[in-house]
Amino acid sequence: MDIKAVVFDAYGTLYDIQSVASVTEEAFPGHGNAITQIWRMKQLEYTWLRSLMERYEDFSVVTHESLIYALNVLGLTYDTDVLARIMDKYAHLDLYNDARDALLALKGRKLAILSNGSRAMLDALVRNSGLDRILDATISVDAVKIFKPSPRTYALVETTIGVKPNEVMFVSSNPFDVCGARAFGFNVAWIERVTPDAVALEFANRDLVSPLSMFKAVRTQMDELGLQPTCRIRTLAELPAAVAQIDRR
Amino acid sequence: MDIKAVVFDAYGTLYDIQSVASVTEEAFPGHGNAITQIWRMKQLEYTWLRSLMERYEDFSVVTHESLIYALNVLGLTYDTDVLARIMDKYAHLDLYNDARDALLALKGRKLAILSNGSRAMLDALVRNSGLDRILDATISVDAVKIFKPSPRTYALVETTIGVKPNEVMFVSSNPFDVCGARAFGFNVAWIERVTPDAVALEFANRDLVSPLSMFKAVRTQMDELGLQPTCRIRTLAELPAAVAQIDRR
């Protein structure tokens, strides 16, 4: 079976969402780590809850509302300028240092992003990082007004770039996204950016942990949803070989 | 508008889910708190993810799989006996000490539970706590094969006990459940079992927090989903007066 398209999740897979921590720490010294972790947890939750409640709003709204939640629960005060400065970082997230080379090595196949991000957020992010010159398509779930892992989001790949699910290699670091994509019928490479061993070590015999440890504990390990990735990689540099292996099957 | 039925969420509202911590601590000394918090976070996530993925399995499956996740990510080893002993606690959760009197004070209206729990889990829990002699109905989302906050779950109240949404007072401590019930059209009393001030205090100028603090940080405050509860209470003893106030409107 030939892989005709390689489709990437954006946030946490190509782009380092933890890189917002520098901006949150600058705005709220001593609280950057807690804000960043609570913000991301609520951001994901709100995508799931709004989808289930049938009250979709786009990812910029969800991202803004989850930031408000994080600041309020920590008892921090803020003005619209601070919010705008933090939100702006979402258009300038750091590209993981293994991302560009992996994309270039896969040229010849169709290359795309499929992301929860709104059209405007993704366009800015892709342009600012220079990936607009490499990708064939940047697909936003906004077209179907529901978030991952709804099967309607993954169906956008075929309707947008015309490649059937079993000819797609989907790449994500987010376990829930891996499960959703597998349930839909994609081949899926799970990039493990943190190992479970590292989490166990951080919790070993400790009553107190950092907010980041708690975040890792609920986001790092493959979810127990009865689904497994097609393959596991530790860096995007391993991706071309993983794709070639499926070609040969 | 007369309130004809008062409908309660079960886990975290009438029954103290944190009471599993005694069993997890006994089974895994030094890890009870971390297991309990990670377990509950993943249990909720799995209800949302399975619903969105259109891969529903009942709450006993989700509860079992999320427990496995929590033990694995902490690097703990276990056998089926330990799992069974911990899971059994879910049929014997402690009733909050304000629950029984509040229910008795509301007799004369229809009283029901609407819960994510499976039929078997809820029947055992309600019988073991003696609430079967007080409640008119125990409604499981299993009838519609999707979890809260899908509007299809809240619609079960009218189809089961014949009371229209605007004549229902729904009671929950879980912010996502409050938002889902409000979006559906119920009157909703939010019982705040932990105050946001307490969370801010636990995080103030601290790099390290307990897993319970992190759990509270993402579960305590009303969610930013554009919806507000009809009223807020601090104990179920305040509920009869809150219901009477809506009658008088």
Side-chain angles (χ1 to χ4, degrees):
Chain A
M1 174 58 62
D2 269 14
I3 296 297
K4 299 209 173 104
V6 185
V7 180
F8 296 82
D9 170 52
Y11 302 110
T13 300
L14 292 179
Y15 297 95
D16 184 1
I17 34 169
Q18 296 292 331
S19 61
V20 299
S22 59
V23 182
T24 54
E25 177 65 26
E26 191 187 301
F28 299 96
H31 298 282
N33 185 10
I35 295 168
T36 304
Q37 306 321 321
I38 295 170
W39 183 13
R40 175 63 172 167
M41 280 199 193
K42 299 306 290 190
Q43 182 193 45
L44 286 175
E45 283 188 23
Y46 288 179
T47 62
W48 304 327
L49 293 172
R50 282 197 172 274
S51 297
L52 261 182
M53 288 165 61
E54 303 172 9
R55 294 264 176 144
Y56 177 88
E57 295 284 345
D58 84 25
F59 200 60
S60 65
V61 173
V62 164
T63 301
H64 188 261
E65 291 181 339
S66 50
L67 174 59
I68 300 275
Y69 179 101
L71 297 176
N72 283 346
V73 87
L74 294 170
L76 301 170
T77 55
Y78 49 87
D79 56 31
T80 52
D81 283 356
V82 169
L83 291 182
R85 203 159 65 238
I86 297 176
M87 284 290 293
D88 182 60
K89 179 66 185 174
Y90 253 82
H92 299 86
L93 293 173
D94 302 348
L95 200 56
Y96 276 111
N97 60 20
D98 55 3
R100 189 181 312 270
D101 286 351
L103 284 165
L104 291 173
L106 287 160
K107 269 301 209 186
R109 327 228 181 202
K110 285 187 178 172
L111 298 177
I113 279 177
L114 171 66
S115 169
N116 273 342
S118 68
R119 185 80 265 154
M121 290 173 83
L122 290 176
D123 285 347
L125 187 63
V126 166
R127 190 175 54 244
N128 291 335
S129 58
L131 291 196
D132 54 339
R133 295 185 297 274
I134 303 177
L135 295 169
D136 298 292
T138 303
I139 306 167
S140 165
V141 302
D142 198 56
V144 286
K145 309 287 182 205
I146 196 166
F147 293 103
K148 299 176 182 179
S150 165
R152 292 166 50 201
T153 63
Y154 302 109
L156 282 169
V157 170
E158 185 168 2
T159 55
T160 309
I161 61 172
V163 178
K164 290 191 192 315
N166 64 352
E167 296 174 332
V168 169
M169 175 71 109
F170 184 75
V171 186
S172 183
S173 69
N174 293 300
F176 78 90
D177 194 16
V178 169
C179 291
R182 279 298 289 156
F184 179 74
F186 287 154
N187 303 284
V188 183
W190 176 34
I191 171 158
E192 291 182 80
R193 296 214 179 264
V194 183
T195 68
D197 287 356
V199 174
L201 207 63
E202 288 178 46
F203 274 84
N205 303 313
R206 280 186 221 161
D207 289 337
L208 298 177
V209 295
S210 79
L212 179 58
S213 302
M214 193 67 185
F215 176 85
K216 285 185 197 164
V218 295
R219 292 279 169 271
T220 299
Q221 191 175 253
M222 184 43 54
D223 277 316
E224 297 288 333
L225 292 167
L227 294 151
Q228 289 295 328
T230 312
C231 60
R232 298 169 180 233
I233 55 179
R234 285 292 163 93
T235 151
L236 290 177
E238 298 170 33
L239 187 58
V243 170
Q245 194 165 6
I246 293 178
D247 283 342
R248 283 194 298 273
R249 272 185 200 167
Chain B
M1 175 56 62
D2 268 14
I3 295 296
K4 300 210 172 103
V6 185
V7 181
F8 296 82
D9 170 53
Y11 301 110
T13 300
L14 292 178
Y15 297 94
D16 184 1
I17 35 168
Q18 296 292 330
S19 61
V20 299
S22 58
V23 182
T24 53
E25 178 64 25
E26 192 187 301
F28 299 97
H31 298 281
N33 186 10
I35 295 168
T36 303
Q37 307 321 323
I38 295 170
W39 185 11
R40 175 62 173 168
M41 281 199 193
K42 298 306 289 190
Q43 182 194 45
L44 286 175
E45 282 188 22
Y46 288 180
T47 62
W48 303 327
L49 293 172
R50 282 196 172 276
S51 296
L52 262 183
M53 288 165 61
E54 303 172 9
R55 295 263 177 145
Y56 177 87
E57 294 285 344
D58 84 25
F59 200 60
S60 66
V61 172
V62 165
T63 302
H64 189 262
E65 291 180 339
S66 50
L67 174 58
I68 301 274
Y69 178 100
L71 296 176
N72 283 347
V73 85
L74 294 170
L76 301 169
T77 55
Y78 50 86
D79 56 32
T80 52
D81 283 357
V82 170
L83 291 183
R85 203 159 66 238
I86 297 176
M87 285 289 293
D88 182 60
K89 178 67 184 174
Y90 252 83
H92 298 87
L93 292 173
D94 301 348
L95 200 57
Y96 276 111
N97 60 21
D98 55 3
R100 188 181 313 271
D101 286 351
L103 285 164
L104 291 173
L106 288 160
K107 268 302 210 187
R109 326 227 181 204
K110 285 187 178 172
L111 298 177
I113 279 176
L114 171 67
S115 169
N116 272 343
S118 69
R119 188 77 265 158
M121 288 173 85
L122 290 175
D123 285 348
L125 187 63
V126 166
R127 191 174 54 244
N128 290 336
S129 58
L131 291 196
D132 55 338
R133 295 185 296 274
I134 303 177
L135 295 169
D136 298 293
T138 304
I139 307 167
S140 166
V141 302
D142 198 56
V144 284
K145 309 287 182 206
I146 196 165
F147 293 103
K148 298 176 182 180
S150 165
R152 292 165 52 200
T153 63
Y154 303 108
L156 282 169
V157 170
E158 185 168 2
T159 56
T160 308
I161 61 173
V163 178
K164 292 192 191 312
N166 64 353
E167 297 174 332
V168 169
M169 174 71 110
F170 184 74
V171 187
S172 183
S173 69
N174 293 299
F176 78 90
D177 195 15
V178 169
C179 291
R182 279 297 289 156
F184 179 73
F186 287 154
N187 303 283
V188 183
W190 176 34
I191 171 159
E192 291 182 80
R193 295 214 179 265
V194 183
T195 68
D197 287 356
V199 175
L201 207 62
E202 288 178 47
F203 274 84
N205 305 311
R206 279 186 222 162
D207 289 336
L208 298 177
V209 294
S210 78
L212 179 57
S213 302
M214 193 68 185
F215 176 84
K216 285 184 198 164
V218 295
R219 292 280 168 270
T220 298
Q221 190 175 253
M222 184 44 54
D223 278 315
E224 298 288 334
L225 292 167
L227 295 152
Q228 289 296 328
T230 312
C231 60
R232 297 169 180 232
I233 55 179
R234 284 294 163 90
T235 151
L236 290 177
E238 298 170 33
L239 187 58
V243 170
Q245 195 164 7
I246 293 178
D247 283 344
R248 283 194 297 272
R249 271 183 203 170

